[in-house]
Amino acid sequence: LAYAGDVRPALAALERALRSRPAASGRRVLLHRRAQCRLALGDLGGARQDLEASLGQAAAAYQQPAARAMLARVALEEGDVASALSVLEAVDAEDVARGDGLSAIVLLARGDVLLAKGRVEAARTDIARAGEIASGAFGCENPALRAWRSSAAMVAHRTGERSAARPSEAAQRPRS
């Protein structure tokens, strides 16, 4: 529901599922998904609370990078760049180097945080790598991974590369 844009019904369903007292692993996943919904609705405090609870429950290693990336986005939205960077520094370097969807999500979040910090070239590197992963491995069909294009355009704008900040004709063409 949330991916289709029906965030409020998705949030209500997640609330019901959490009230059913799921096992710890299921609870972590539900908290993560509820945090996504809360973030989409602008409830930064609620998203932070869910993500911190998820991470505090000894989340499975594969869940931590995505939760940390989202928590960094929450801190960035709150204007706390230092906390956002600190949250991402706790992600294992191997998780970032793997080259899968989770690493793309972490790289994109880190690139956005580095851009906010004014470290444009470091941001460009992370965002470009996230884009390579998203384009190569996933064909960029997942909107969560397509967000790298906006971040890349922000880097290009910051560096005065106006033509690179505009999407190409091919990028704007709908896929069939």
Side-chain angles (χ1 to χ4, degrees), residues 125-140:
T125 300
D126 280 354
I127 292 166
R129 180 65 183 129
E132 289 170 11
I133 293 167
S135 297
F138 302 101
C140 260

PDB file of all heavy atoms in Angstrom, residues 125-140:
ATOM      1  N   THR A 125      31.010  10.993  -5.611  1.00  0.00           N
ATOM      2  CA  THR A 125      31.501   9.617  -5.692  1.00  0.00           C
ATOM      3  C   THR A 125      30.453   8.631  -5.182  1.00  0.00           C
ATOM      4  O   THR A 125      30.150   7.630  -5.847  1.00  0.00           O
ATOM      5  CB  THR A 125      32.814   9.470  -4.889  1.00  0.00           C
ATOM      6  OG1 THR A 125      33.782  10.358  -5.446  1.00  0.00           O
ATOM      7  CG2 THR A 125      33.324   8.043  -4.913  1.00  0.00           C
ATOM      8  N   ASP A 126      29.897   8.901  -4.009  1.00  0.00           N
ATOM      9  CA  ASP A 126      28.906   7.986  -3.432  1.00  0.00           C
ATOM     10  C   ASP A 126      27.630   7.942  -4.266  1.00  0.00           C
ATOM     11  O   ASP A 126      27.060   6.871  -4.509  1.00  0.00           O
ATOM     12  CB  ASP A 126      28.568   8.389  -2.001  1.00  0.00           C
ATOM     13  CG  ASP A 126      29.611   7.938  -0.998  1.00  0.00           C
ATOM     14  OD1 ASP A 126      30.543   7.204  -1.383  1.00  0.00           O
ATOM     15  OD2 ASP A 126      29.493   8.323   0.180  1.00  0.00           O
ATOM     16  N   ILE A 127      27.167   9.098  -4.719  1.00  0.00           N
ATOM     17  CA  ILE A 127      25.925   9.150  -5.489  1.00  0.00           C
ATOM     18  C   ILE A 127      26.116   8.468  -6.840  1.00  0.00           C
ATOM     19  O   ILE A 127      25.240   7.725  -7.302  1.00  0.00           O
ATOM     20  CB  ILE A 127      25.445  10.608  -5.632  1.00  0.00           C
ATOM     21  CG1 ILE A 127      25.001  11.135  -4.257  1.00  0.00           C
ATOM     22  CG2 ILE A 127      24.314  10.718  -6.653  1.00  0.00           C
ATOM     23  CD1 ILE A 127      24.822  12.638  -4.183  1.00  0.00           C
ATOM     24  N   ALA A 128      27.272   8.690  -7.478  1.00  0.00           N
ATOM     25  CA  ALA A 128      27.543   8.034  -8.761  1.00  0.00           C
ATOM     26  C   ALA A 128      27.578   6.516  -8.591  1.00  0.00           C
ATOM     27  O   ALA A 128      27.033   5.771  -9.428  1.00  0.00           O
ATOM     28  CB  ALA A 128      28.859   8.541  -9.342  1.00  0.00           C
ATOM     29  N   ARG A 129      28.193   6.037  -7.517  1.00  0.00           N
ATOM     30  CA  ARG A 129      28.248   4.587  -7.270  1.00  0.00           C
ATOM     31  C   ARG A 129      26.843   4.041  -7.012  1.00  0.00           C
ATOM     32  O   ARG A 129      26.485   2.966  -7.511  1.00  0.00           O
ATOM     33  CB  ARG A 129      29.181   4.272  -6.093  1.00  0.00           C
ATOM     34  CG  ARG A 129      29.297   2.804  -5.781  1.00  0.00           C
ATOM     35  CD  ARG A 129      29.959   2.021  -6.921  1.00  0.00           C
ATOM     36  NE  ARG A 129      29.978   0.601  -6.576  1.00  0.00           N
ATOM     37  CZ  ARG A 129      29.540  -0.354  -7.374  1.00  0.00           C
ATOM     38  NH1 ARG A 129      29.087  -0.080  -8.566  1.00  0.00           N
ATOM     39  NH2 ARG A 129      29.555  -1.604  -6.984  1.00  0.00           N
ATOM     40  N   ALA A 130      26.035   4.769  -6.251  1.00  0.00           N
ATOM     41  CA  ALA A 130      24.645   4.346  -6.021  1.00  0.00           C
ATOM     42  C   ALA A 130      23.904   4.262  -7.351  1.00  0.00           C
ATOM     43  O   ALA A 130      23.141   3.315  -7.592  1.00  0.00           O
ATOM     44  CB  ALA A 130      23.942   5.315  -5.074  1.00  0.00           C
ATOM     45  N   GLY A 131      24.146   5.217  -8.223  1.00  0.00           N
ATOM     46  CA  GLY A 131      23.515   5.207  -9.540  1.00  0.00           C
ATOM     47  C   GLY A 131      23.964   4.041 -10.392  1.00  0.00           C
ATOM     48  O   GLY A 131      23.155   3.424 -11.097  1.00  0.00           O
ATOM     49  N   GLU A 132      25.256   3.730 -10.337  1.00  0.00           N
ATOM     50  CA  GLU A 132      25.775   2.573 -11.086  1.00  0.00           C
ATOM     51  C   GLU A 132      25.100   1.291 -10.626  1.00  0.00           C
ATOM     52  O   GLU A 132      24.708   0.451 -11.443  1.00  0.00           O
ATOM     53  CB  GLU A 132      27.284   2.440 -10.886  1.00  0.00           C
ATOM     54  CG  GLU A 132      28.109   3.488 -11.570  1.00  0.00           C
ATOM     55  CD  GLU A 132      29.572   3.433 -11.125  1.00  0.00           C
ATOM     56  OE1 GLU A 132      29.976   2.454 -10.458  1.00  0.00           O
ATOM     57  OE2 GLU A 132      30.304   4.382 -11.442  1.00  0.00           O
ATOM     58  N   ILE A 133      24.985   1.143  -9.328  1.00  0.00           N
ATOM     59  CA  ILE A 133      24.359  -0.066  -8.772  1.00  0.00           C
ATOM     60  C   ILE A 133      22.896  -0.124  -9.193  1.00  0.00           C
ATOM     61  O   ILE A 133      22.412  -1.149  -9.678  1.00  0.00           O
ATOM     62  CB  ILE A 133      24.496  -0.107  -7.236  1.00  0.00           C
ATOM     63  CG1 ILE A 133      25.962  -0.270  -6.840  1.00  0.00           C
ATOM     64  CG2 ILE A 133      23.639  -1.231  -6.647  1.00  0.00           C
ATOM     65  CD1 ILE A 133      26.223  -0.011  -5.369  1.00  0.00           C
ATOM     66  N   ALA A 134      22.193   0.997  -9.024  1.00  0.00           N
ATOM     67  CA  ALA A 134      20.763   1.032  -9.350  1.00  0.00           C
ATOM     68  C   ALA A 134      20.536   0.780 -10.834  1.00  0.00           C
ATOM     69  O   ALA A 134      19.636   0.019 -11.211  1.00  0.00           O
ATOM     70  CB  ALA A 134      20.167   2.373  -8.935  1.00  0.00           C
ATOM     71  N   SER A 135      21.331   1.390 -11.671  1.00  0.00           N
ATOM     72  CA  SER A 135      21.162   1.229 -13.121  1.00  0.00           C
ATOM     73  C   SER A 135      21.569  -0.155 -13.591  1.00  0.00           C
ATOM     74  O   SER A 135      20.891  -0.765 -14.410  1.00  0.00           O
ATOM     75  CB  SER A 135      22.001   2.266 -13.869  1.00  0.00           C
ATOM     76  OG  SER A 135      21.559   3.550 -13.567  1.00  0.00           O
ATOM     77  N   GLY A 136      22.681  -0.637 -13.068  1.00  0.00           N
ATOM     78  CA  GLY A 136      23.204  -1.917 -13.530  1.00  0.00           C
ATOM     79  C   GLY A 136      22.451  -3.110 -13.000  1.00  0.00           C
ATOM     80  O   GLY A 136      21.985  -3.961 -13.754  1.00  0.00           O
ATOM     81  N   ALA A 137      22.304  -3.159 -11.716  1.00  0.00           N
ATOM     82  CA  ALA A 137      21.724  -4.346 -11.094  1.00  0.00           C
ATOM     83  C   ALA A 137      20.206  -4.365 -11.145  1.00  0.00           C
ATOM     84  O   ALA A 137      19.592  -5.418 -11.186  1.00  0.00           O
ATOM     85  CB  ALA A 137      22.190  -4.449  -9.643  1.00  0.00           C
ATOM     86  N   PHE A 138      19.604  -3.192 -11.135  1.00  0.00           N
ATOM     87  CA  PHE A 138      18.155  -3.149 -10.992  1.00  0.00           C
ATOM     88  C   PHE A 138      17.445  -2.468 -12.153  1.00  0.00           C
ATOM     89  O   PHE A 138      16.236  -2.359 -12.146  1.00  0.00           O
ATOM     90  CB  PHE A 138      17.780  -2.438  -9.684  1.00  0.00           C
ATOM     91  CG  PHE A 138      18.382  -3.115  -8.493  1.00  0.00           C
ATOM     92  CD1 PHE A 138      19.520  -2.602  -7.891  1.00  0.00           C
ATOM     93  CD2 PHE A 138      17.836  -4.274  -7.992  1.00  0.00           C
ATOM     94  CE1 PHE A 138      20.089  -3.233  -6.807  1.00  0.00           C
ATOM     95  CE2 PHE A 138      18.401  -4.911  -6.914  1.00  0.00           C
ATOM     96  CZ  PHE A 138      19.528  -4.392  -6.317  1.00  0.00           C
ATOM     97  N   GLY A 139      18.179  -1.949 -13.114  1.00  0.00           N
ATOM     98  CA  GLY A 139      17.546  -1.270 -14.230  1.00  0.00           C
ATOM     99  C   GLY A 139      16.764  -0.045 -13.795  1.00  0.00           C
ATOM    100  O   GLY A 139      15.944   0.477 -14.528  1.00  0.00           O
ATOM    101  N   CYS A 140      17.003   0.403 -12.576  1.00  0.00           N
ATOM    102  CA  CYS A 140      16.378   1.620 -12.040  1.00  0.00           C
ATOM    103  C   CYS A 140      14.859   1.571 -11.990  1.00  0.00           C
ATOM    104  O   CYS A 140      14.218   2.592 -12.060  1.00  0.00           O
ATOM    105  CB  CYS A 140      16.840   2.839 -12.822  1.00  0.00           C
ATOM    106  SG  CYS A 140      18.113   3.713 -11.951  1.00  0.00           S
TER     107      CYS A 140
END
